[in-house]
Amino acid sequence: MGLLERDGALADLTRLQAQSAGGGRIALVAGEAGAGKSSLAAEFTRSVRPRARVLWGACDPLLTPRALGPVHDIAKQAGGELRERLGDGDRGAIFDAVLDALDGPRQARRPVVVMEDLHWADEATLDLVAFLGRRLSLCRALLLLTYRDDELGPDHPLRGVLAGLPRGPVHRLTLPPLSAGAVAELAGLAGRDAAPVYAQTGGNPLLVTEVLAAAGSGVPATVRDLVLSRLHALSPAARDAAALVSVVPAHAEPALLAGHAAGVDECLAGGVLTATADGVAFRHELLRRAVEESLSPVRRAALHAGILARLDGDPGVDPARLVHHAHHAGLAAAVLRWAPVAARRAAALGANRQAVAHYETALRHAAGVPDEQRAGLLEAYATVAYLAGLNEEALRARQEALTVREAAGDTALTGENLRWVSRLSWWTGRTEQARAAGARAVDVLEPLGPGPQLAMAYSNLSQLRMLANDDTAVAWGERAIELARRSGDLDTEVHALVNVGSARLQRGDPAGGDELERAHRVAAAAGLDDHAVRALVNRAGIAVEWYELDVAQEVLDRVLAYAEARELGGYARHLLGYRATVRLARGDWPGAENDASQGLAGPPQRGPFRCPAQVTLGLLWSRRGAPDSTGLLEAAAGSAYEAGELQFVGPVAAALAEHHWIAGDPRRALDEVRRGLPLAVRVGHPWLAGRLAYWQWRCGGPAVVDGIAEPYRLLIEGDVAGAAAEWERRGCEYAAAEALACGDDDEAGRALRVFDRLGAAATARRVRAELRRRGAPVPRGPRPATVADPAGLTARQREVLGLLADGLSDAEIAVRLSLSAKTVGHHVSAVLAKLGVPSRGQAAAIARRRSPKMGNPPHA
C-alpha cells in the first residue's frame, strides 16, 4: 500500500532534515498502533539515504525492556567508539559516545537517527532521549522518535521526557487515520467495497491493509481473525514459522529460524512476515500478538523453551531476552539463573526500575528454591528497590529475608538485615522501629567481633543519632570509620564520613560542609552512588534550613542531576522538595510550584521524605488562598509528627502556624508552634527555633529571643527595619515583607505591595484586616482578575504570556493585540519580573506548565 495522506508528514520530515544543517532537530511521530509510523519513517529514510547517514534502533516489548535497547541496534550500524562503550557498561560514556556519533565533521553526511516505539523504552533509553534533547542543537542531526500516543497513560514516564524537550528544535507529527476517501481509493484498487472496510477499520492504515490483503470476500471482525484466516491458507511449515516468530518480540534473527527456511520464505511471499535488517518480523506488533495469543499455552511455552535453548549459547545475547523466554516457558531454573544477571546489568547502567522488575520476576519463580537462595534474592531486590525509591517494598523484602536468616542461625546476615530494616524503617517514617532495629543489629553483631557488618551497624547508629540531632553521632561515626579502615571497607567508611560531616555541619561547623564534599568525591569515584548522593543531600538540606540559599541552590542543582542520571528516585523527589523551598524563599513561586508538584508526583510512598515538597506547595497555596492548602499541610504533619525529627517537625509546625494565622485562627497557630518550638530549642537550631518563635510572638504568645537567628531576634525585639534588611540581604523578599508587615503604616504598605505582586492574596487580606482594626489607612489592593492569577498577572499580561508561549515576537504580539511594539515590550518586562525569570523562553516554559485558563493555579 502506498503512503496515502502522508505527503504533508513526509514534507515536514524532509524540511526538518534540511534545517538540521543549522542545528539539530527532533521529530516526534505519534499515532495509534497501526497508524503507519514505521512506514512513514521507512519511506522518509529511503528518500534521504543518498544525502544522510541513517541509524535505526527500536524498543522491544519484552517482559522487562532491554536497558538501552535501541542503542545496541544503533551501535551495530555505527560501530567505532559507541560499540566499544556499550561493552564497558559506563552509562555516561555511552551517552557521550552517542552524541559524538551525531556530531561528525561538517563534510560528512548528516545523521538521521530513528528510535522506534519509545512507549516500550526502558528508563535508561528515556534518559538518553532527554540527554540528547538538551544537546542536539549543537549537532547537525535529525532525531526521529516514534511512539504510540494511545498507550501513554497519565503517569507514563515518556510524557515527562517529551514535556522536558526544548521547544525550539521539536516538531510534533500526529498521524491521523485515513479518510473515507483514501480507504475508498485503496478498496477500489483491490476490487473491494470501501464502506464495510472503512466501518470495520476506522481508517487505521494497518487494519485497512490487512483487510484488503486477506483472501476471500468477507471482512474479518478482528485482527486475530484476519491473521489466522491468512495463516490457514499457508502450508504447515509456514504456519510453524509464523508461530515461532510470534513469540519473539521485535524480530527473529536467522539463528532462531534454522530449519524453517521454506516456511519463512512462504510467509514472506504471502505478506505474513516482512524482512528486516537482522531477520524477519510481523509487519506490525498487533499481528504478532494475534498469532501468539492464538497458540495453546503448551505450544507457546514449548516455543519459548526452544528459543531459550538456542539463545542460551550466544555469549552476546542480552540477558533480558533470556529472562523473557524463560519466564514464558515456565522454566523456573532458567529464570533464577538469568534474572539476577539481567538485574545486575540493568543496575550497572543506572536502570534501577528494570533491575527491580527482573528481581520481581525471579522471586515469582522462587517458591521451591532453598530458603538461603530466596533470602539472597530478597536482599538483592531490596537494595535496588531502595535505590529506585520503592522503600515500602524494600522494607518488606528485608523483613522477609531477616526471618529466613534468623531461622537459619546466620548471625552476620541477621545483623546486616537488621541494619537494613533500620534504614528502610527510617525512610518510611517509622523512626522508633528504625532505632530499635539499629540497636538490635549492634547487639547481634558485636559478639562476632570486628567486621564489615559491625562497622556498618555502628555507622547506621551514627546516622540515626545525626538525624535526631544527637551529640553522640560523631562518636559512633568515628568508631565505624576506625573499624572500616582496619578492614579496608570503603563502603562503610564513606557512609560514616557522611554522618560525621553532617553532624558537624548541623552544629554550625563549616568544616562539616567540606567533609561532605570530600565524602561525595570519594564515593562518586568508587561508584558508591547512594553515599555520593546522600552526602550532597545532607549538605543541601542543612543549607536550606540555615538559609544559606546560594550554597543550597548550587548543591541542589548538582546533586539533582547526579541522582536523576542514576535513577535514584527516592532521593530525586526529596531533593525537588528542597529546591522548591529555596525557590519559594527567593520569590520564584512558579518554579517552586513546579518543583514541589514534581516531587509529589508518581506512586505514593509512606514516610516524611515528601514533607519539603508538601510544606512548600501547602504554604504557596495558603498564601494565595487556595482551598487545597489545608489538606496538603495536614498530610505533611501526619508524616512529620510521626517521624518526630526536627528536620520534618520544625518546617511543618511553622507552616501550619503561618497557615492558621493567615486564616485568622491564632489559637490553632499557637498549638502548632508548641509541637515544634520546644524541640527546636532543645536541639539548638537557631533558624527553626527562630521561625517558630516568630509565629509564637506574632500570634500573641510569649517572646523568645535567646538562641534564635538574627532576623527573628531583631523583629521580636522591635527592629522591623533591621529584620527586613537581613532578609533582603539573603534574597528573601516574602520574609522581608512579613517583617515589614509588623511595622508602622508605611512599612505595612510596603509589605502589601510585595504580597500583591507575588500573588499572596490571602496574606495580603490578613494584613489589610490588621490595618483596619488599628484604624490605619489601607492601601488599595490589585484588581480581582489579577488576584486570581497565581503570579499576579493582569488580564493583558496573561494574554502576552500566552503569545510568548506560542513563540511570537514583540512585533507579532503587537499586531495580534493591536498595540504598539513599545507597549508590548513594557508588558513583556512586567511579565518577566512577576514570574521571576530572566528570559522569554523561561516565561514561555512557565506558561506551558500553567492551566489552559492561564488564571488559575493547576490545583484549582
Side-chain angles (χ1 to χ4, degrees):
M1 182 184 87
L3 289 181
L4 286 178
E5 300 184 333
R6 298 295 185 253
D7 290 347
L10 280 171
D12 285 343
L13 293 176
T14 302
R15 174 177 54 79
L16 289 171
Q17 199 269 336
Q19 290 174 346
S20 68
R25 295 292 188 271
I26 302 172
L28 303 179
V29 180
E32 65 175 336
K37 301 179 293 297
S38 297
S39 298
L40 175 68
E43 176 62 20
F44 166 67
T45 54
R46 183 198 62 76
S47 69
V48 299
R49 277 187 188 277
R51 61 180 184 276
R53 182 190 185 201
V54 176
L55 300 172
W56 195 302
C59 304
D60 304 326
L62 295 171
L63 180 69
T64 300
R66 291 188 300 157
L68 294 176
V71 180
H72 287 270
D73 299 337
I74 291 169
K76 291 178 183 177
Q77 303 155 50
E81 184 179 2
L82 178 56
R83 178 179 284 184
E84 294 174 7
R85 292 301 182 190
L86 271 176
D88 296 341
D90 182 338
R91 193 165 78 159
I94 293 169
F95 284 15
D96 288 339
V98 173
L99 190 62
D100 289 343
L102 304 185
D103 191 21
R106 297 192 64 84
Q107 66 271 20
R109 291 183 299 164
R110 297 198 302 276
V112 171
V113 180
V114 180
M115 291 191 188
E116 278 202 281
D117 297 324
L118 282 182
H119 51 279
W120 289 323
D122 65 287
E123 292 181 51
T125 297
L126 294 180
D127 285 345
L128 173 63
V129 171
F131 174 89
L132 292 176
R134 292 191 293 269
R135 295 162 177 82
L136 202 65
S137 62
L138 304 177
C139 304
R140 300 164 61 247
L142 172 64
L143 183 61
L144 196 163
L145 310 175
T146 76
Y147 62 95
R148 293 182 187 173
D149 51 2
D150 59 336
E151 292 193 14
L152 298 188
D155 297 326
H156 196 290
L158 179 57
R159 286 192 180 276
V161 173
L162 297 181
L165 292 175
R167 188 166 182 265
V170 172
H171 186 80
R172 294 176 179 265
L173 294 170
T174 299
L175 301 185
L178 297 176
S179 68
V183 174
E185 180 180 343
L186 294 170
L189 292 173
R192 303 283 291 276
D193 183 1
V197 174
Y198 187 77
Q200 291 289 332
T201 65
N204 180 289
L206 171 71
L207 301 187
V208 170
T209 303
E210 295 305 321
V211 167
L212 294 178
S217 57
V219 178
T222 64
V223 176
R224 183 181 293 106
D225 291 340
L226 165 64
V227 176
L228 295 182
S229 70
R230 294 182 67 187
L231 284 176
H232 184 71
L234 302 179
S235 68
R239 293 199 295 271
D240 286 345
L244 175 64
V245 176
S246 78
V247 298
V248 184
H251 67 270
E253 51 264 58
L256 297 180
L257 301 172
H260 293 276
V264 169
D265 286 345
E266 186 178 349
C267 286
L268 289 170
V272 173
L273 297 177
T274 187
T276 69
D278 300 318
V280 298
F282 283 88
R283 289 188 298 124
H284 196 282
E285 170 66 8
L286 288 177
L287 305 181
R288 183 197 70 78
R289 286 165 54 187
V291 176
E292 182 186 31
E293 291 167 6
S294 74
L295 303 174
S296 71
V298 173
R299 189 178 184 202
R300 192 159 55 238
L303 287 170
H304 279 291
I307 292 168
L308 177 65
R310 288 177 179 159
L311 292 176
D312 200 347
D314 182 352
V317 70
D318 193 314
R321 295 186 66 191
L322 301 177
V323 176
H324 177 85
H325 291 297
H327 169 75
H328 287 293
L331 299 175
V335 171
L336 292 171
R337 175 188 174 192
W338 289 111
V341 176
R344 289 192 292 271
R345 180 170 177 170
L349 290 168
N352 289 310
R353 291 270 179 174
Q354 272 64 49
V356 166
H358 284 307
Y359 279 124
E360 287 174 342
T361 300
L363 287 166
R364 285 197 294 271
H365 290 80
V369 304
D371 286 347
E372 182 180 357
Q373 184 181 356
R374 179 173 174 78
L377 286 171
L378 287 165
E379 289 158 352
Y381 163 77
T383 299
V384 294
Y386 159 71
L387 292 174
L390 304 174
N391 298 304
E392 282 281 2
E393 294 85 342
L395 177 59
R396 285 194 293 270
R398 281 289 176 180
Q399 289 170 329
E400 189 175 344
L402 173 61
T403 300
V404 174
R405 299 304 190 188
E406 282 185 305
D410 190 328
T411 305
L413 288 178
T414 294
E416 183 174 318
N417 277 292
L418 280 167
R419 191 264 304 173
W420 267 110
V421 166
S422 174
R423 174 62 174 157
L424 293 165
S425 295
W426 181 87
W427 259 110
T428 55
R430 302 171 172 95
T431 307
E432 292 306 317
Q433 180 177 311
R435 292 169 183 164
R440 189 171 164 227
V442 170
D443 291 341
V444 167
L445 291 168
E446 278 188 330
L448 297 180
Q453 286 95 349
L454 180 60
M456 188 59 90
Y458 284 161
S459 189
N460 181 65
L461 281 190
S462 171
Q463 184 177 14
L464 290 171
R465 299 291 199 278
M466 176 269 296
L467 292 166
N469 299 90
D470 188 320
D471 290 336
T472 63
V474 172
W476 279 108
E478 289 174 342
R479 289 178 70 181
I481 291 168
E482 191 272 329
L483 269 186
R485 286 175 175 168
R486 194 187 306 175
S487 59
D489 179 8
L490 183 63
D491 183 17
T492 299
E493 180 183 347
V494 176
H495 186 273
L497 286 171
V498 173
N499 302 331
V500 171
S502 301
R504 287 177 175 151
L505 190 59
Q506 281 177 332
R507 291 299 177 189
D509 182 353
D514 297 333
E515 291 174 12
L516 288 175
E517 292 286 353
R518 284 195 296 272
H520 167 74
R521 290 193 294 271
V522 172
L528 301 171
D529 291 340
D530 183 37
H531 305 336
V533 170
R534 191 168 69 89
L536 295 188
V537 168
N538 291 0
R539 177 95 168 91
I542 295 168
V544 170
E545 288 179 1
W546 286 67
Y547 279 88
E548 295 175 351
L549 301 185
D550 289 338
V551 173
Q553 185 70 59
E554 186 276 327
V555 177
L556 282 167
D557 289 343
R558 187 156 40 106
V559 68
L560 259 170
Y562 190 95
E564 288 170 347
R566 290 154 181 81
E567 291 187 14
L568 301 176
Y571 281 123
R573 292 169 70 182
H574 187 56
L575 287 162
L576 283 167
Y578 275 126
R579 194 169 71 180
T581 304
V582 173
R583 288 180 165 174
L584 183 70
R586 287 187 150 169
D588 177 12
W589 287 19
E593 185 164 35
N594 183 59
D595 274 352
S597 298
Q598 287 190 48
L600 296 174
Q605 288 282 318
R606 190 180 191 278
F609 73 93
R610 299 198 308 165
C611 280
Q614 289 171 318
V615 165
T616 299
L617 199 55
L619 271 180
L620 182 57
W621 291 355
S622 181
R623 292 169 183 176
R624 289 174 176 167
D628 299 347
S629 56
T630 302
L632 193 57
L633 291 172
E634 287 178 349
S639 299
Y641 294 156
E642 180 184 10
E645 291 177 350
L646 180 61
Q647 64 170 316
F648 304 119
V649 171
V652 167
L656 275 167
E658 179 178 346
H659 172 75
H660 292 310
W661 174 82
I662 289 173
D665 193 344
R667 181 190 59 79
R668 291 187 67 187
L670 287 171
D671 288 342
E672 297 299 336
V673 167
R674 295 184 189 107
R675 303 187 74 158
L677 182 56
L679 178 59
V681 170
R682 184 171 71 251
V683 165
H685 196 302
W687 288 93
L688 289 173
R691 186 70 179 161
L692 290 160
Y694 160 73
W695 281 114
Q696 179 167 281
W697 169 78
R698 190 79 162 90
C699 294
V704 174
V705 294
D706 291 339
I708 67 173
E710 185 75 356
Y712 299 115
R713 183 188 63 77
L714 290 172
L715 182 59
I716 293 172
E717 289 180 343
D719 187 355
V720 170
E726 279 291 314
W727 286 121
E728 288 168 357
R729 184 175 63 81
R730 295 175 182 273
C732 299
E733 188 178 26
Y734 184 89
E738 277 186 320
L740 290 172
C742 300
D744 60 27
D745 295 350
D746 288 341
E747 289 168 328
R750 287 168 53 198
L752 282 171
R753 286 192 290 275
V754 173
F755 296 146
D756 290 340
R757 183 166 49 77
L758 289 173
T763 308
R765 283 196 299 270
R766 182 74 166 86
V767 172
R768 285 187 169 91
E770 287 187 336
L771 289 174
R772 290 189 189 96
R773 276 197 298 273
R774 69 191 197 196
V778 180
R780 180 177 176 272
R783 296 175 180 176
T786 305
V787 172
D789 186 89
L793 301 181
T794 65
R796 177 64 83 187
Q797 288 164 354
R798 289 198 297 275
E799 286 183 291
V800 169
L801 178 58
L803 296 174
L804 282 177
D806 290 337
L808 273 64
S809 67
D810 284 4
E812 292 168 326
I813 295 172
V815 171
R816 185 74 62 88
L817 299 180
S818 300
L819 300 171
S820 71
K822 184 175 181 180
T823 298
V824 170
H826 290 317
H827 283 310
V828 170
S829 298
V831 167
L832 298 183
K834 288 186 177 182
L835 294 179
V837 295
S839 70
R840 300 163 66 95
Q842 291 182 30
I846 290 171
R848 289 189 288 273
R849 291 196 297 262
R850 295 174 62 166
S851 65
K853 292 185 178 180
M854 293 294 294
N856 299 317
H859 59 273

